[in-house]
Amino acid sequence: MKEFKVIEVKRSILEDNDADAAKLREELKAQGTFLLNLMSSPGAGKTTMLKRVISMLGDELKIGIMEADIDSDVDAQAIAEAGARSIQLHTGGMCHLDAAMTRQGILEFGAEDLDLVVLENVGNLVCPAEFDTGACRNAMILSVPEGDDKPLKYPLMFSVCDVVLINKIDVLPYFDFDMEKCKEYIQMRNPKAKIIPISARTGEGFMEWTQWLREEAAAWTK
Amino acid sequence: MHELGVVFHVIKMVEEVARENDLTQVESVTLELGEVSGVIDSYLENCWNWAVKKQEKLLREADLIIETIPAVTYCEDCQNLYGTIEHGKICPRCKSPHTYLQQGNEFRIKEISAC
Ligand SMILES: Nc1nc2c(ncn2[C@@H]2O[C@H](COP(=O)(O)OP(=O)(O)OP(=O)(O)O)[C@@H](O)[C@H]2O)c(=O)[nH]1
Ligand SMILES: [Mg+2]
Ligand SMILES: [Zn+2]
């Protein structure tokens, strides 16, 4: 008869990932690469936004894009045409990226010579927020057609973001979207989040957004 | 499949604990799961049962035991504590939206039974 004994563990499941993520951040700091984790619902405008950022910052910063999306071959091509390097990560059909997968991606990418790497996380608003990827900053894109009450429905996502982009503001007149309410809901969940309304189509708001990126990347890599 | 990813994290942690304590066989793993942790018990059990079958002897027969922690929200305006599942983000007493989750998003390994 086997003698089983009870061993108290009392450890959070995310603990080892959190430690791993902290380590990855140190490695990124040491090699001078600023990694931005970008989250959103599908179709919020990540690719369109990134193309514009690449064209605006491409002369100052060496930019790379890591795609975690399941079938985003088209995106990789769009990014290459805009003038940045990109790779496809292998998530094995998982609904989120953890720090180990992100490190693997950074290694495969050979990101040492890159100043700014954007990780396009898997397109959902629940799971990615729970797993720290090891990125230096977290951003999300919320687009006008998704509704101003999104921060109420996905509080965790908003609470982990350093910056929230509200995209597609060119279509504001056609939607019942209350910008002030939306900002208030975001601030309720996360008073420190920076909120930048943009239109990836017209370029509105991109001076402020690229300035944020420029400053954050400079502060990180100096 | 969020649950499957999570199961792999649990397995990794149990393997670590087993190494630290020289364990060779795990009988059961007890998790503490908050009501609003975003993980669904029954999916988690299914994923667990599927995943442990593919493991070495250490985990192959391990049962998963889930203890639920109720979700409780605190209202900053009237200091009221109330059930998150029934009432959501708006305080049922004073209707304030200035509330935060006090407990209920836990996801911890409480203990394991092993030899
Ligand atoms: N009106 C308007 N449309 C936009 C804007 N940004 C993106 N779109 C459109 O929204 C659609 C989705 O944009 P993408 O950039 O592909 O979005 P994505 O987040 O990369 O999408 P997935 O990779 O499929 O998740 C496209 O039809 C874009 O043209 C914007 O600022 N205004
Ligand atoms: Mg895209
Ligand atoms: Zn109240």
Side-chain angles (χ1 to χ4, degrees):
Chain A
M1 193 53 208
K2 282 181 192 131
E3 279 294 319
F4 289 108
K5 58 182 178 200
V6 171
I7 296 157
E8 185 168 284
V9 181
K10 283 277 181 202
R11 275 169 65 183
S12 163
I13 307 300
L14 298 176
E15 216 173 82
D16 61 338
N17 184 61
D18 288 348
D20 209 12
K23 198 159 139 264
L24 177 57
R25 259 188 296 280
E26 277 171 28
E27 292 161 14
L28 290 166
K29 183 108 197 165
Q31 74 176 52
T33 300
F34 179 74
L35 176 65
L36 181 76
N37 175 31
L38 178 63
M39 299 175 282
S40 82
S41 306
K46 295 178 294 288
T47 304
T48 314
M49 179 279 282
L50 287 172
K51 278 163 60 183
R52 202 176 268 281
V53 165
I54 293 163
S55 75
M56 289 175 74
L57 290 179
D59 292 338
E60 301 166 45
L61 300 173
K62 285 207 203 67
I63 303 175
I65 312 290
M66 302 204 295
E67 309 257 10
D69 233 35
I70 301 152
D71 17 47
S72 54
D73 259 11
V74 191
D75 287 10
Q77 200 174 340
I79 297 296
E81 279 164 15
R85 268 162 65 197
S86 76
I87 61 161
Q88 177 76 52
L89 297 186
H90 306 287
T91 54
M94 214 86 101
C95 56
H96 62 267
L97 284 170
D98 59 22
M101 290 189 264
T102 307
R103 172 180 290 106
Q104 189 58 39
I106 290 277
L107 279 176
E108 276 176 40
F109 206 0
E112 299 84 7
D113 63 323
L114 296 175
D115 307 307
L116 167 64
V117 175
V118 180
L119 172 62
E120 260 203 64
N121 211 316
V122 182
N124 82 62
L125 295 182
V126 182
C127 321
E130 292 178 38
F131 284 83
D132 187 341
T133 56
C136 316
R137 293 286 180 271
N138 292 310
M140 82 157 296
I141 306 192
L142 161 72
S143 63
V144 165
E146 294 170 66
D148 52 26
D149 60 348
K150 229 138 201 181
L152 297 181
K153 295 185 188 149
Y154 301 94
L156 182 65
M157 171 61 74
F158 288 86
S159 69
V160 302
C161 279
D162 300 289
V163 59
V164 178
L165 302 172
I166 304 179
N167 188 32
K168 309 196 186 180
I169 55 170
D170 56 298
V171 300
L172 270 175
Y174 314 104
F175 284 86
D176 179 21
F177 184 100
D178 187 330
M179 183 62 81
E180 288 316 308
K181 265 238 154 63
C182 187
K183 286 183 174 172
E184 190 189 314
Y185 292 151
I186 295 169
Q187 261 145 9
M188 243 162 67
R189 295 301 153 205
N190 183 355
K192 281 189 284 221
K194 176 149 181 83
I195 303 168
I196 310 178
I198 59 166
S199 165
R201 173 153 298 168
T202 65
E204 203 179 336
F206 273 69
M207 288 309 265
E208 192 182 356
W209 168 225
T210 50
Q211 187 55 25
W212 185 89
L213 280 171
R214 194 183 276 125
E215 281 169 12
E216 292 288 330
W220 183 261
T221 57
K222 81 154 187 277
Chain B
M1 279 299 277
H2 189 49
E3 281 71 13
L4 188 54
V6 151
V7 159
F8 287 123
H9 278 274
V10 175
I11 288 176
K12 218 167 98 192
M13 279 189 120
V14 172
E15 283 171 348
E16 247 169 61
V17 174
R19 227 175 295 121
E20 289 161 12
N21 294 276
D22 280 327
L23 305 172
T24 53
Q25 194 183 345
V26 177
E27 182 193 29
S28 67
V29 174
T30 306
L31 297 183
E32 290 176 314
L33 200 60
E35 265 181 327
V36 296
S37 63
V39 177
I40 301 166
D41 294 20
S42 58
Y43 288 2
L44 194 63
E45 276 164 16
N46 286 340
C47 291
W48 177 264
N49 293 334
W50 176 84
V52 290
K53 294 233 161 30
K54 310 198 163 229
Q55 301 295 312
E56 306 287 304
K57 172 167 173 290
L58 175 71
L59 272 156
R60 208 175 299 142
E61 313 256 300
D63 288 325
L64 188 69
I65 301 167
I66 297 176
E67 292 180 4
T68 305
I69 298 179
V72 176
T73 295
Y74 175 76
C75 171
E76 283 180 339
D77 288 342
C78 78
Q79 283 79 47
N80 182 25
L81 286 171
Y82 64 87
T84 313
I85 303 270
E86 304 105 271
H87 303 292
K89 292 150 203 111
I90 305 293
C91 173
R93 191 158 80 190
C94 75
K95 307 285 177 250
S96 162
H98 300 118
T99 60
Y100 64 85
L101 191 68
Q102 175 113 352
Q103 60 166 59
N105 61 357
E106 294 77 3
F107 193 171
R108 282 195 295 263
I109 301 181
K110 182 186 179 198
E111 58 193 27
I112 65 180
S113 166
C115 64

